[in-house]
Amino acid sequence: MKTEKNIPREKLFSQMEKDFKEFKVIYLKAPIGYGKTCAATEFLKKYDGNTASVCVGQENWKNICQSAIESGVQLLMIDDVQNLLTVYDGEQVLAMMAKASYQTRFLILGRCELPAWLRPFDLTGQLKEYSPDCLALDREEAKKLFALQKMSFSDQQITALLEKTKGWVLGTILLGKRIAKEQQISRQAEEAAYRDVFLLFDQMLFSKWEEKIQNFLLNIGGFDEFTEEMAQMVTGKAEVLPLLEQMQRIGGFLQVKSPGVYEIPAVFNAYLQWKQKIVFSAEKIREIQERAALYYTLKQEYPKALYYYYEAKNFSQIYELLLENAENHAGNGQFYELEKYYLAVPEELALKSPRMMSALSMLHSLCCRVEESEQWFSRLEECYQAAPKEGALRREAQRELVYLKIALPHRGTANMIQLIKDTAPLISKKNIPTHQMSITGNMPSLMNGGKDFCEWSKHDALLYQTLRVPVELTLGKSSIGLADIGFGESLFEKTAGQKFAPALVKLNSGMAEAQIGGNDQLRFAAAAIISRIFAAQGNLEEAFYV
């Protein structure tokens, strides 16, 4: 991206001059469109000494490079090192650089991560690496760039524009041109600028890559991040690591987010999705999405799996996965996170499963849609009545009804004591499996958690003695530690002064039971209450530690 005139990068140039006094090599890394070649060319013009430049791939570039070094050039710029296709090419350049005089400095430009052949300079402290951020435009630079392009914007408009482009030079120019036509920042201008970028990527990058790289990227495009294993499953290819390594070398559009995890920058990922829709059929794209969903299902990363099944419009798999997830995660938090997917389940599928009807009733209750919650509760009752008396369907429906009668937030705690007393012998007599539930609603309290049990505090000692066993029968594993923690919190809330010892005894006992029983929600609530006690005593250090 060259223009007749380039904006001065005084901050960058000043930093480079300073660094060249300490380092022999500067490696300037940035994807296409950041203006690295323009900036480096301007720096060479201002450099105090004889300079030369060469671009990898131009005719006789190796000879030009060698001649410049042998002539004692003080600063040599080598551009487009991502085009060094073999290890041998890189080693040749390294050998030439090693023969340069002590005074010679090298400005290396590329789109890829630091090449392996430059590592010796890095390991010996002779190299400094510059990231794309050093080329991102600030407001004053953007204003000068627009002036060169015969465009004028207010400071407020430039600030808003840079928030969109993050200072990416190419994106800033293209979006600026579109905005100049409409005289405002609009969705239409942004979409048109994106299309301009996509067409440029198509011509300058994608069309020049090997077919195997093009196919790989089209299959993996649309995923924010992926692993080697996921790439294998999505593309159907066993050997993907060589391709991943090659793509990191040639363009800088594949980055290592963490060990074994790769990501594609947002703009290029959006281009791949655009290109994917042009090249692939809708059926092919759905197939790719379902492969990704299967990968995340096997990894038990259900939210991601559901996302890709939703994108593929595979509602039967969403239904199956939600049922599996509900069995493994009892907390109410999963309903908020997965609401979109629950609501996407077709009604005819939901009516086949008491567990799904129960989940929908709970979801609507949590979202304050009481009428819808009660409708699904009624359908669950109808399912129970219509099911064979000794069948598994009736037992499952009964279990879900018991759960909802106790757990639905909008029903409060009215008649809860009698309900627990009536339910406990029923569960024991008919051997109904208990349903895991979120007692605290993921809150750091029992009395003010999933429901408001403050009224029970008036008779806490009596309820502790009479309800402990029925509660444990009714709630099963979900009740481990509950009685002691609830009683301890009640004692704390009613205690005047600093006499918290009885509350602490119960809370510690309940927390230990919850920890042994694997009940993290109750353990969290107990820890939070104990922390409040220490804070009330003025012991903030201990409160923070808990």
Side-chain angles (χ1 to χ4, degrees):
M1 185 189 63
K2 296 183 179 179
T3 58
E4 294 181 2
K5 294 182 180 179
N6 295 312
I7 60 170
R9 296 298 193 95
E10 300 301 340
K11 293 179 184 177
L12 174 62
F13 295 167
S14 176
Q15 185 62 46
M16 290 171 72
E17 287 175 1
K18 179 181 176 182
D19 287 335
F20 268 134
K21 293 176 182 178
E22 181 179 353
F23 299 96
K24 189 175 186 67
V25 181
I26 287 178
Y27 180 61
L28 180 53
K29 173 192 72 175
I32 188 173
Y34 268 90
K36 55 186 177 295
T37 301
C38 293
T41 302
E42 287 297 307
F43 179 72
L44 260 63
K45 293 177 183 178
K46 297 176 179 293
Y47 192 74
D48 186 17
N50 62 318
T51 65
S53 64
V54 63
C55 182
V56 172
Q58 76 179 72
E59 188 176 356
N60 295 322
W61 71 269
K62 290 182 183 178
N63 292 334
I64 296 171
C65 187
Q66 186 169 351
S67 297
I69 291 173
E70 290 176 351
S71 67
V73 69
Q74 290 177 287
L75 176 60
L76 176 60
M77 181 183 88
I78 306 176
D79 197 0
D80 283 340
V81 294
Q82 75 276 355
N83 293 332
L84 289 171
L85 300 179
T86 67
V87 174
Y88 177 70
D89 287 334
E91 289 177 347
Q92 278 189 302
V93 177
L94 177 63
M96 286 188 277
M97 292 172 66
K99 294 177 182 178
S101 69
Y102 176 77
Q103 289 80 16
T104 301
R105 297 292 183 263
F106 295 92
L107 178 56
I108 313 293
L109 311 181
R111 297 173 187 166
C112 55
E113 296 295 324
L114 183 68
W117 55 270
L118 278 176
R119 289 290 178 189
F121 288 104
D122 185 33
L123 294 173
T124 54
Q126 300 179 74
L127 180 146
K128 183 166 183 180
E129 185 174 354
Y130 281 34
S131 73
D133 292 341
C134 72
L135 292 166
L137 296 169
D138 61 25
R139 191 169 67 179
E140 290 305 312
E141 290 172 335
K143 187 182 294 185
K144 293 174 182 176
L145 178 63
F146 288 134
L148 288 175
Q149 298 286 326
K150 309 299 183 186
M151 293 185 285
S152 178
F153 298 105
S154 68
D155 288 349
Q156 185 178 6
Q157 286 177 314
I158 292 175
T159 299
L161 195 150
L162 290 176
E163 286 179 0
K164 300 286 186 182
T165 66
K166 309 301 181 188
W168 181 37
V169 179
L170 176 62
T172 301
I173 292 173
L174 293 176
L175 182 56
K177 286 180 177 295
R178 290 293 180 176
I179 291 171
K181 289 181 179 180
E182 298 191 16
Q183 296 300 312
Q184 62 177 342
I185 298 178
S186 65
R187 184 175 181 84
Q188 290 78 8
E190 288 183 46
E191 289 176 352
Y194 263 111
R195 181 173 173 77
D196 293 339
V197 171
F198 295 165
L199 292 172
L200 186 143
F201 282 167
D202 216 36
Q203 180 183 358
M204 297 185 66
L205 294 174
F206 194 81
S207 63
K208 297 179 180 180
W209 290 335
E210 298 175 61
E211 185 178 355
K212 62 181 180 180
I213 291 178
Q214 291 179 351
N215 288 334
F216 180 89
L217 285 170
L218 287 176
N219 277 275
I220 210 70
F223 304 118
D224 295 333
E225 61 181 48
F226 59 91
T227 63
E228 180 186 350
E229 184 183 357
M230 178 180 171
Q232 288 173 324
M233 183 170 288
V234 169
T235 63
K237 297 184 180 297
E239 297 296 329
V240 299
L241 190 57
L243 280 174
L244 293 172
E245 293 293 333
Q246 186 178 354
M247 280 186 284
Q248 289 180 75
R249 290 196 303 269
I250 65 173
F253 286 105
L254 182 66
Q255 300 168 357
V256 178
K257 183 177 182 180
S258 59
V261 180
Y262 302 87
E263 67 176 353
I264 300 173
V267 175
F268 193 68
N269 207 5
Y271 158 73
L272 289 176
Q273 293 177 66
W274 172 79
K275 186 70 174 177
Q276 194 181 64
K277 292 174 183 176
I278 294 173
V279 176
F280 289 160
S281 66
E283 184 61 33
K284 173 66 174 177
I285 293 173
R286 281 196 295 272
E287 180 185 325
I288 292 170
Q289 291 166 337
E290 289 187 348
R291 287 179 181 178
L294 177 59
Y295 168 79
Y296 284 119
T297 300
L298 295 174
K299 294 293 181 182
Q300 294 190 334
E301 296 183 38
Y302 295 127
K304 289 182 179 179
L306 286 163
Y307 172 82
Y308 289 112
Y309 278 132
Y310 185 84
E311 291 294 300
K313 296 181 172 55
N314 191 333
F315 299 115
S316 62
Q317 282 298 325
I318 289 175
Y319 166 78
E320 296 291 343
L321 204 54
L322 285 173
L323 289 178
E324 184 177 344
N325 184 66
E327 286 295 328
N328 295 330
H329 300 88
N332 290 341
Q334 60 110 359
F335 289 111
Y336 295 111
E337 184 181 11
L338 306 179
E339 178 184 5
K340 177 173 72 173
Y341 309 117
Y342 275 108
L343 297 180
V345 174
E347 185 173 317
E348 61 270 19
L349 276 180
L351 291 171
K352 292 180 179 180
S353 168
R355 186 70 188 92
M356 183 58 68
M357 287 185 274
S358 172
L360 287 166
S361 179
M362 176 58 72
L363 169 65
H364 286 298
S365 181
L366 288 167
C367 295
C368 300
R369 297 189 289 263
V370 175
E371 184 177 348
E372 290 89 339
S373 176
E374 289 296 337
Q375 285 176 356
W376 280 108
F377 185 88
S378 297
R379 289 174 176 178
L380 183 58
E381 285 186 315
E382 292 169 6
C383 173
Y384 170 74
Q385 295 295 337
K389 288 191 175 180
E390 301 301 324
L393 182 64
R394 188 181 181 91
R395 284 169 53 79
E396 185 182 356
Q398 188 173 32
R399 182 181 82 148
E400 298 301 331
L401 286 169
V402 167
Y403 158 68
L404 290 177
K405 287 175 182 178
I406 295 171
L408 282 176
H410 72 267
R411 290 195 172 188
T413 57
N415 303 317
M416 179 71 71
I417 294 174
Q418 191 59 47
L419 177 63
I420 291 173
K421 288 181 176 180
D422 293 342
T423 302
L426 179 67
I427 289 175
S428 179
K429 181 180 178 181
K430 295 195 174 183
N431 197 27
I432 300 172
T434 55
H435 194 304
Q436 288 194 52
M437 65 180 73
S438 174
I439 306 298
T440 66
N442 298 319
M443 299 293 287
S445 170
L446 265 177
M447 293 177 64
N448 293 285
K451 293 194 174 189
D452 183 359
F453 289 99
C454 293
E455 284 295 317
W456 289 25
S457 187
K458 298 175 182 178
H459 312 288
D460 52 11
L462 176 63
L463 292 173
Y464 178 75
Q465 293 295 329
T466 58
L467 274 189
R468 177 169 186 158
V469 173
V471 164
E472 291 173 352
L473 281 171
T474 303
L475 303 183
K477 184 180 177 181
S478 300
S479 71
I480 297 175
L482 183 150
D484 282 344
I485 294 170
F487 192 19
E489 183 176 11
S490 178
L491 291 173
F492 163 61
E493 294 289 357
K494 295 196 301 184
T495 298
Q498 299 290 314
K499 299 178 182 179
F500 298 125
L504 282 170
V505 169
K506 290 297 182 186
L507 286 166
N508 278 302
S509 173
M511 186 166 67
E513 286 184 33
Q515 185 167 359
I516 294 170
N519 196 326
D520 291 334
Q521 287 193 17
L522 287 178
R523 185 166 62 90
F524 166 66
I529 300 161
I530 292 172
S531 181
R532 288 167 56 202
I533 290 176
F534 284 129
Q537 293 174 327
N539 191 347
L540 297 181
E541 183 177 347
E542 194 67 28
F544 180 79
Y545 175 77
V546 172

